Amino acid sequence: MGIACAPPALAAIAGAELPAIEVRHITKRFREDAPPALDDLSLTVPQGVIYGILGPNGAGKTTLLSILCGLLKPTAGTVRLAGHETLSPEVKRALGVVPQEPAVYPTLTGRENLEYFGRMQGLRGPRLKERIEACLQIAEIGDQADRRVEHYSGGYKRRLNLVIGLIHEPRILILDEPTVAIDPHSRSLIHQRLRQLHAAGVTILLTTHYMEEAEQLCHQVAIMHRGRVAVEGEVHALLARHRDDSIQISLDRDPPAGLAQALRGLPSVGDISLSGRCLTATAPHPLEAALALLQTLREHGLGVESLDYGQASLEHIFLTYTGEDTRP
Amino acid sequence: MNDGNLSRFVASVMKDARIIMRDRQALILFFVMPVLFVLILSLALRDAFGERPGATFPVLVIAPAGDRVGDSVEARFKANRHIELTRISRASDEEVRGWLVQGRYKFAVLIPDGAAAQAQRRVGEIMAQVPPELRMEPVVQVRVLVDPALRSDYRKVLEGVLALALHEVEMRLGREQLEQTLRITQGKDYAPLPDIEQTRLLTPLPAEPVTKGALGPTPTSVQQNAPAWTLLAMFFLTVPLSVSFIKERDQGSLFRLQTMTVPAWVVLGGKAVPFFVINLIQMASILLVSVHVLPWLGGDPLELGDAPLALLTTGASASLAAIGFGIAVAMYARTTEQAASFSSATVMIMAALGGILVPKTVMPPLMQDLAQLSPLSWGLDAFQDVFVRGGGLRDVTPEVLGLLAFSLVCHGIAILRYQGRL
């Protein structure tokens, strides 16, 4: 399979010790009178990891990806890919981009799409043919290769979208919501392929709305909120850090106005986040705080459908830092 | 240009060619519609151009059989190929008005009974030097009824023909009266006068078309319509061209290309080439149909002139101008609707201004000057240099350079915009 034989293109232009992506204090303003889309944002993606960028709609994820791909220039700050500040042809060749919506030509076949983008990436002759076959195999769409893409299912289009980004065997792969609105089989296949790419040494940066996906796939994540990185780190470390002090409560009905205010007044409770019927809180002593929370909820006439404490998840961490629902 | 970019360029051309070839409805529109337009308009306007007799006006002359005035008017109208004459000896005023209202005739001449005799008596009085106030015979009044829908310039032509016919009768009657006087005064020494009304003293020669080269053919409707609709078809390709760009941007494939090491000229040029080929095929098909099919349907054949290279250069430069315009529109339009409506509206304005929809020859001087602003006007002038005025490559050079400059500016703007520098 093509994934296993990826050449170390990036290693040739960057030392192994350099981060794959390094973002330093970037700000992006589209209008002077509007809040910045990115506000003094910094993050580091080491080589060879799967790095997830999480954030609610409008957090600035797409703007960040556009800057990383060279489509937008930051108002301030620097971006380095493989140690290079500008997207030189060598860096561009090391970069694979998978847009959120399938960026394919619907009236061309899957094979023709791969051939076209392969040629655009500079591949030719037997090498191009070899890569096309490898990509068809990776995406498991060989049986549909000669059908027009307009006749593909949504999952097949996304698989094709993914492998077009892989046709030139990039060393850094940037994916924007790669598994949105697809069937479980295609999602599972894409996860599997991303893991294989990681095993082959490819650095993967992806945005996602699916917290379970980030938790299963990513080694590191950054949670963005209002153009900033609210929290960044290795997934297991984040989970460990939030394990003992988090409380999650599902309410049986919509909370009344003023509830959050009342809960924040509880002395044993730290941060409080209320999104719909989902209440997330942190506390140095979760059991004690949970009892206080339940008491207050009862006083407001609210019942509890479920209660968890001491078991952190990215979902809970996300809610803690953004105070917003993860669903698009 | 390195090998890699050449390979990318070829791939880009092939991709767009495939996409276009798979859109059958669009292909039909690209090729069939302009050809149909040329056929229909060339046939419909056949007689508004050139020397063909076709635009015939049904004219009615009412005069008693054998009346010399009626005979003269009939002969003069029949000599004009644009007049379809009917002569009857009698009809009521009401009947004639009814026929005009129904559209059977555009122009009716009512010659009163005894017109020739009355005119003869009047000329006798004139020759006898009877003072005007004592003359018995009034001027013979020839009434004319006309369809108000008849264009005023055509009406004036018909009135001129009638005036000429009446003048001939006057000349003839005058000569006869003079002969009679001479016969009386000279007796046996009288010698008949020559038929002076049939002997022109001054005559205009047929108009000679003035051409840049050798004498060219007289302009026909097809020589206006074939190049005009070729140019319009070429420029109308800016609509699908700009829309295809916006679609590519919406689909994200343009975004993907921008993340690669693909130069702007590969992306833009790759799209331009298939449309350039389509433009040339459009031109060839319109010209072929105009040369071979139109005569078969009763129209004038298109005479292509003797400068195929000038023709090809003109077509190619017009196509490049149209493609440049389409690409520039695509770079600025945000939606397919915006691109389609802006490009089609602009092309129609340029076409109207440039003498495509209305020939420049019928425009007032100010509009003729404004027409020079339209690239379609430059293209039309260049085509007509070849078709009508017998011009060659040298004659079309100014227009070709104008079109190429327009194309260069548009492509330059598009490339800078694509690169985010505009």
Side-chain angles (χ1 to χ4, degrees):
Chain A
M1 191 167 291
I3 289 170
C5 58
L10 189 60
I13 60 165
E17 71 281 0
L18 287 171
I21 301 169
E22 201 176 2
V23 177
R24 288 286 165 263
H25 306 292
I26 60 166
T27 297
K28 178 66 188 176
R29 281 184 186 278
F30 291 101
R31 279 175 30 200
E32 280 301 317
D33 56 346
L38 297 177
D39 186 8
D40 195 30
L41 181 143
S42 296
L43 56 84
T44 303
V45 181
Q47 284 194 39
V49 302
I50 302 181
Y51 193 101
I53 293 185
L54 317 176
N57 291 329
K61 302 187 297 289
T62 304
T63 306
L64 175 62
L65 291 198
S66 298
I67 289 174
L68 293 178
C69 298
L71 299 174
L72 282 178
K73 286 182 181 163
T75 311
T78 56
V79 175
R80 285 173 180 272
L81 266 80
H84 293 248
E85 217 168 278
T86 53
L87 281 180
S88 63
E90 290 76 16
V91 175
K92 276 194 170 183
R93 271 192 280 275
L95 188 67
V97 178
V98 181
Q100 184 175 346
E101 292 302 321
V104 293
Y105 295 100
T107 53
L108 299 186
T109 66
R111 189 187 299 281
E112 286 166 347
N113 268 286
L114 283 165
E115 185 188 341
Y116 171 66
F117 285 109
R119 281 191 189 278
M120 291 296 113
Q121 290 286 17
L123 303 177
R124 277 188 284 175
R127 178 81 187 126
L128 175 62
K129 280 185 183 161
E130 183 190 308
R131 285 304 303 154
I132 290 171
E133 291 310 319
C135 285
L136 290 171
Q137 208 180 340
I138 292 167
E140 295 185 1
I141 55 171
D143 57 330
Q144 302 287 315
D146 297 312
R147 289 186 74 202
R148 291 192 194 178
V149 175
E150 62 194 348
H151 302 306
Y152 281 19
S153 68
Y156 270 47
K157 282 180 189 165
R158 285 200 180 270
R159 292 193 218 172
L160 177 64
N161 191 39
L162 170 68
V163 290
I164 287 172
L166 300 176
I167 186 85
H168 60 303
E169 296 179 284
R171 302 304 298 170
I172 301 174
L173 185 63
I174 295 178
L175 305 101
D176 191 5
E177 308 270 2
T179 58
V180 157
I182 56 170
D183 60 282
H185 175 68
S186 291
R187 179 176 299 172
S188 164
L189 182 83
I190 289 174
H191 286 183
Q192 193 186 338
R193 296 303 182 237
L194 292 178
R195 286 194 188 96
Q196 287 172 336
L197 286 164
H198 164 252
V202 177
T203 304
I204 298 169
L205 175 81
L206 61 89
T207 67
T208 180
H209 270 110
Y210 301 118
M211 296 299 127
E212 322 83 70
E213 180 173 87
E215 210 168 310
Q216 290 166 21
L217 266 180
C218 299
H219 306 108
Q220 293 190 25
V221 294
I223 296 175
M224 286 180 65
H225 187 48
R226 294 179 184 162
R228 287 170 165 268
V229 173
V231 64
E232 182 192 12
E234 292 183 8
V235 173
H236 66 83
L238 284 175
L239 292 174
R241 200 193 312 163
H242 290 79
R243 181 168 296 141
D244 294 332
D245 61 0
S246 66
I247 303 159
Q248 297 88 42
I249 298 173
S250 291
L251 304 175
D252 66 347
R253 73 193 71 160
D254 290 333
L259 177 67
Q261 191 68 27
L263 295 174
R264 285 194 184 103
L266 295 172
S268 56
V269 178
D271 293 331
I272 286 283
S273 166
L274 190 57
S275 176
R277 296 180 183 182
C278 183
L279 170 64
T280 307
T282 58
H285 305 289
L287 181 57
E288 186 187 328
L291 291 171
L293 286 168
L294 288 173
Q295 177 64 32
T296 309
L297 293 174
R298 201 174 302 122
E299 286 166 12
H300 282 78
L302 293 165
V304 170
E305 283 190 345
S306 69
L307 183 149
D308 290 308
Y309 64 92
Q311 290 184 350
S313 67
L314 273 184
E315 175 92 20
H316 300 137
I317 297 169
F318 183 93
L319 288 170
T320 302
Y321 283 96
T322 66
E324 293 184 40
D325 202 335
T326 57
R327 286 180 291 271
Chain B
M1 189 192 304
N2 61 39
D3 274 4
N5 283 340
L6 185 62
S7 165
R8 288 185 175 112
F9 180 67
V10 172
S12 199
V13 170
M14 292 303 295
K15 177 263 295 178
D16 272 294
R18 278 181 178 138
I19 290 172
I20 293 168
M21 294 294 287
R22 287 172 190 176
D23 190 348
R24 286 185 190 155
Q25 286 93 337
L27 280 177
I28 290 171
L29 281 175
F30 292 163
F31 297 117
V32 177
M33 292 300 284
V35 166
L36 278 179
F37 268 124
V38 170
L39 282 177
I40 292 167
L41 283 161
S42 296
L43 289 171
L45 296 172
R46 184 190 67 181
D47 302 324
F49 296 80
E51 291 288 325
R52 290 187 62 99
T56 51
F57 303 100
V59 170
L60 176 66
V61 171
I62 302 155
D67 182 273
R68 294 172 68 189
V69 179
D71 291 349
S72 177
V73 170
E74 181 184 348
R76 182 51 65 182
F77 275 139
K78 274 188 172 169
N80 190 315
R81 292 184 301 168
H82 295 281
I83 293 170
E84 183 189 322
L85 187 83
T86 304
R87 179 174 173 178
I88 58 174
S89 57
R90 194 162 298 280
S92 70
D93 193 75
E94 197 179 331
E95 281 176 319
V96 178
R97 286 176 186 278
W99 293 332
L100 284 163
V101 168
Q102 290 161 16
R104 278 177 66 181
Y105 303 106
K106 298 283 180 196
F107 193 85
V109 181
L110 290 82
I111 297 167
D113 285 352
Q118 186 183 336
Q120 210 162 15
R121 285 195 298 275
R122 182 168 167 80
V123 78
E125 288 180 343
I126 293 168
M127 296 295 277
Q129 295 187 331
V130 176
E133 63 274 15
L134 298 178
R135 287 176 196 164
M136 301 291 288
E137 293 297 340
V139 175
V140 179
Q141 292 190 327
V142 177
R143 286 177 65 209
V144 175
L145 300 178
V146 67
D147 177 358
L150 182 65
R151 276 171 44 176
S152 63
D153 47 351
Y154 293 152
R155 193 184 74 201
K156 283 185 176 22
V157 169
L158 294 172
E159 286 171 348
V161 173
L162 177 62
L164 188 62
L166 296 178
H167 181 65
E168 277 176 6
V169 177
E170 286 171 343
M171 289 283 286
R172 188 177 300 124
L173 292 175
R175 179 179 60 84
E176 286 172 4
Q177 188 63 41
L178 186 61
E179 277 182 333
Q180 196 178 344
T181 307
L182 289 172
R183 201 177 294 122
I184 293 166
T185 55
Q186 294 182 0
K188 60 181 172 48
D189 296 330
Y190 162 73
L193 291 171
D195 188 0
I196 57 171
E197 71 273 15
Q198 295 298 326
T199 310
R200 295 290 301 260
L201 302 179
L202 304 166
T203 185
L205 292 173
E208 291 176 26
V210 178
T211 62
K212 287 179 179 173
L215 282 183
T218 306
T220 61
S221 70
V222 70
Q223 284 172 331
Q224 160 71 19
N225 285 309
W229 290 93
T230 299
L231 287 163
L232 192 63
M234 281 180 174
F235 272 80
F236 248 105
L237 273 197
T238 58
V239 178
L241 173 60
S242 54
V243 165
S244 78
F245 251 113
I246 311 281
K247 269 189 186 169
E248 230 173 284
R249 198 169 64 199
D250 290 349
Q251 285 160 2
S253 35
L254 209 57
F255 160 85
R256 204 194 275 272
L257 289 173
Q258 285 173 317
T259 67
M260 299 177 183
T261 56
V262 184
W265 70 265
V266 168
V267 178
L268 304 184
K271 201 165 277 295
V273 169
F275 281 93
F276 180 75
V277 173
I278 290 173
N279 274 168
L280 293 187
I281 296 174
Q282 275 180 328
M283 184 175 93
S285 56
I286 289 174
L287 297 186
L288 282 173
V289 164
S290 302
V291 170
H292 296 293
V293 179
L294 204 59
W296 185 66
L297 294 172
D300 294 311
L302 177 66
E303 293 177 36
L304 295 177
D306 300 321
L309 192 59
L311 215 53
L312 189 64
T313 312
T314 302
S317 55
S319 170
L320 291 174
I323 288 166
F325 180 68
I327 291 176
V329 168
M331 290 297 114
Y332 281 91
R334 289 183 182 169
T335 61
T336 53
E337 290 80 8
Q338 211 176 57
S341 54
F342 178 80
S343 48
S344 56
T346 318
V347 166
M348 285 311 286
I349 289 168
M350 288 196 291
L353 195 63
I356 301 296
L357 305 180
V358 179
K360 280 189 280 185
T361 48
V362 303
M363 290 181 183
L366 174 67
M367 292 306 292
Q368 288 188 6
D369 288 342
L370 287 175
Q372 299 310 314
L373 297 173
S374 167
L376 279 90
S377 165
W378 313 336
L380 188 59
D381 283 347
F383 274 122
Q384 291 195 338
D385 278 348
V386 180
F387 291 154
V388 181
R389 293 183 278 273
L393 194 55
R394 185 178 293 177
D395 300 299
V396 301
T397 301
E399 291 95 347
V400 165
L401 287 178
L403 290 165
L404 291 177
F406 179 81
S407 170
L408 205 63
V409 169
C410 289
H411 277 103
I413 290 171
I415 287 177
L416 290 175
R417 178 77 176 177
Y418 181 83
Q419 292 171 336
R421 289 199 264 166
L422 260 187

